[in-house]
Amino acid sequence: MGDLKKGRVVRVDAKVCHVELEGRILQAAPRGLLFEGLKAKNPVAVGDWVMINDETEPASLHEVLPRTNSLSRTASSHDPREQVLVANADQVLIFSSINKPRFSSNRTDRILAACEWNDIEPILVLNKIDLDKKNILAEVRATYEAVPVKILETCATDGRGMDELEEVLKGKVSVLYGPSGAGKSTSLNQIQPGLNLKVGKISSHWEQGRHTTTFSRLLHLDLGGWVIDTPGIRVFRLHGVKKADIRGLFPEFVRYQSKCKYPNCTHDHEPECGVLDALEEGFVPETRYMSYLEMLVEAAPDEFGAEEDIIDEYDPDAPDEA
Ligand SMILES: Nc1nc2c(ncn2[C@@H]2O[C@H](COP(=O)(O)OP(=O)(O)OP(=O)(O)O)[C@@H](O)[C@H]2O)c(=O)[nH]1
Ligand SMILES: [Mg+2]
Ligand SMILES: [Zn+2]
C-alpha cells in the first residue's frame, strides 16, 4: 500500500467522494471500515480533511481526520440518524431573499438555531432588496439585530452589497445556505465570474425557485477562502437536542428568562413566564416565538414531524452545472 496523502473533500456522491489532493480533484471510494459502527448516516461530508491512497484504482479514502466542527441535522422524518451536511466551516451565510421566494422566518430561525447548537457563526444575507415591495426589510432587520445576528443587505443582480459580502468571505470557509432561488449562485458569480455557476429561473406561478444547485460542493475563491454552495434544504431539524436545550438556541429570549417563575421554564404553558410576557408586550417577535415552539415540540423523543423532509426534488431535466 502506498503512502496516504491528506486531501479535502469537495463533493460527496452516493458511492464516491471528490477529493482535492495536491491541486487536482480525484474520486475516492470510502473504505468499508468507515461505515462500521457508524451512528451518523454518512461517514464523510463536504469540507472534511481525509487521508487518501491514490495508488489504487479507484483511489480509496482511508480516514476522516478529526473535525473542528460540523453542521448536522436529523436525516429525515423517517430516519432519525445524524446527517452531517458540512464539516470544518468557519461561518454559515444564511441567504434569504426578501421576495421571490418570500422571506421565511421559520427557515431562518431553524438554521440560526442550528448554528448556535453547532457553534458556527451565522451571517444573515438579505438578498433581492430591490424586490422589497411590501417594506418588510426593516422589520426583518430589527428582528435579527435583536438576536443579535450580523446582517448584510444585498442585490446580487445590481451588485449592491457585494463588496461587503467579499469582505465577509475573504479567507474563511463559508457555507452558503438558503432556499432555492435566494440568489446564492448569482452572488458567487458576481464575486467571481469565472465560477460560471448556473443560476435558476423563478417560476412566476409558485414564486419559488427550482433547485438549480443539486449537491453541495466546496469551491475556491480567488480572493482567498472557500465557499460551500449547498442545495436548499426544506426543513432543517436539529439532531440530538433535548427540549431543555432549545431555549438556549434563541439568545434574545435569555434576556427575559430571569423573570420566569420556574428556572426550567419552557416558555410554553407555565404561569409567570418572562418570555411570554415579553411576547405579549411586543419585545419578542411572534415569528421567533412560533419557531421556538415548533422546535420545542420536535425535540421531544420519538416525535418526528409527518411531513417529508428531503432535499427539495432534484430536477432530472436540468442540465449539468458548469
Ligand atoms: N431581482 C433580483 N433577482 C435576483 C437577485 N439575486 C438573484 N436573482 C435572481 O434569482 C434567480 C435565482 O438565483 P440563483 O442564484 O440561481 O439562486 P440559488 O440560491 O443559487 O438557487 P439554488 O441553486 O436553486 O439553490 C435568478 O433568476 C437570479 O437572476 C436580486 O438581488 N434581485
Ligand atoms: Mg444555486
Ligand atoms: Zn418562561
Side-chain angles (χ1 to χ4, degrees):
M1 190 175 80
D3 286 337
L4 297 181
K5 294 175 183 157
K6 183 177 167 184
R8 189 158 210 191
V9 177
V10 298
R11 169 177 168 180
V12 178
D13 290 346
K15 295 224 164 64
V16 291
C17 299
H18 300 233
V19 180
E20 187 179 296
L21 191 71
E22 297 164 350
R24 66 204 160 102
I25 308 259
L26 52 83
Q27 298 191 13
R31 291 212 310 169
L33 260 179
L34 293 173
F35 293 87
E36 278 174 24
L38 183 73
K39 288 204 187 85
K41 186 182 175 190
N42 52 331
V44 190
V46 172
D48 264 327
W49 291 99
V50 292
M51 298 307 288
I52 296 287
N53 179 0
D54 65 346
E55 286 172 13
T56 54
E57 186 51 44
S60 52
L61 196 162
H62 283 244
E63 189 190 346
V64 177
L65 298 176
R67 295 170 176 149
T68 55
N69 64 24
S70 61
L71 185 65
S72 304
R73 65 164 189 166
T74 300
S76 77
S77 47
H78 313 294
D79 182 351
R81 286 177 300 171
E82 174 183 12
Q83 181 188 19
V84 183
L85 298 170
V86 300
N88 307 316
D90 296 315
Q91 54 192 14
V92 177
L93 268 59
I94 305 170
F95 268 77
S96 292
S97 42
I98 283 299
N99 201 351
K100 298 195 178 192
R102 68 189 174 80
F103 181 81
S104 163
S105 310
N106 188 279
R107 175 192 279 272
T108 305
D109 296 341
R110 284 173 174 276
I111 184 70
L112 277 177
C115 289
E116 193 73 29
W117 180 246
N118 291 287
D119 208 11
I120 307 181
E121 189 185 349
I123 295 169
L124 192 55
V125 181
L126 300 174
N127 189 37
K128 305 201 187 183
I129 52 174
D130 56 314
L131 300 181
D132 188 23
K133 302 283 185 300
K134 293 186 182 148
N135 289 316
I136 65 157
L137 185 59
E139 196 183 324
V140 170
R141 248 205 113 92
T143 296
Y144 293 98
E145 269 170 354
V147 173
V149 189
K150 185 182 166 105
I151 299 173
L152 299 183
E153 289 179 16
T154 59
C155 177
T157 41
D158 74 10
R160 269 181 289 168
M162 290 297 121
D163 290 348
E164 288 87 346
L165 185 60
E166 279 190 20
E167 214 37 58
V168 157
L169 292 171
K170 197 183 278 177
K172 298 269 174 65
V173 180
S174 309
V175 180
L176 301 195
Y177 176 90
S180 187
K184 302 176 290 295
S185 301
T186 309
S187 300
L188 283 183
N189 284 340
Q190 278 277 3
I191 285 170
Q192 190 168 322
L195 286 173
N196 212 4
L197 298 173
K198 196 171 169 297
V199 301
K201 289 196 185 67
I202 299 285
S203 134
S204 56
H205 181 58
W206 295 105
E207 295 205 337
Q208 287 209 348
R210 303 188 76 166
H211 270 279
T212 306
T213 302
T214 50
F215 50 84
S216 294
R217 56 179 177 166
L218 186 71
L219 304 162
H220 272 286
L221 291 178
D222 293 342
L223 56 89
W226 312 66
V227 290
I228 303 173
D229 192 16
T230 67
I233 286 168
R234 210 185 278 152
V235 184
F236 199 113
R237 275 197 202 95
L238 287 172
H239 183 265
V241 290
K242 298 188 206 76
K243 264 188 198 294
D245 297 322
I246 303 288
R247 56 186 213 157
L249 306 181
F250 286 72
E252 79 271 42
F253 289 11
V254 176
R255 236 169 276 151
Y256 307 102
Q257 215 157 273
S258 57
K259 298 196 187 109
C260 297
K261 181 174 179 189
Y262 303 101
N264 57 352
C265 181
T266 63
H267 320 316
D268 170 17
H269 56 275
E270 296 90 342
E272 292 177 51
C273 166
V275 173
L276 274 172
D277 288 348
L279 175 73
E280 265 162 39
E281 287 157 32
F283 296 124
V284 164
E286 206 165 313
T287 53
R288 291 280 290 164
Y289 185 72
M290 296 301 285
S291 301
Y292 168 78
L293 274 193
E294 201 177 285
M295 291 177 67
L296 188 68
V297 169
E298 277 169 20
D302 308 325
E303 270 185 53
F304 292 97
E307 169 198 3
E308 269 301 294
D309 179 20
I310 47 167
I311 287 176
D312 290 349
E313 60 286 339
Y314 165 60
D315 178 6
D317 298 322
D320 284 335
E321 287 183 79

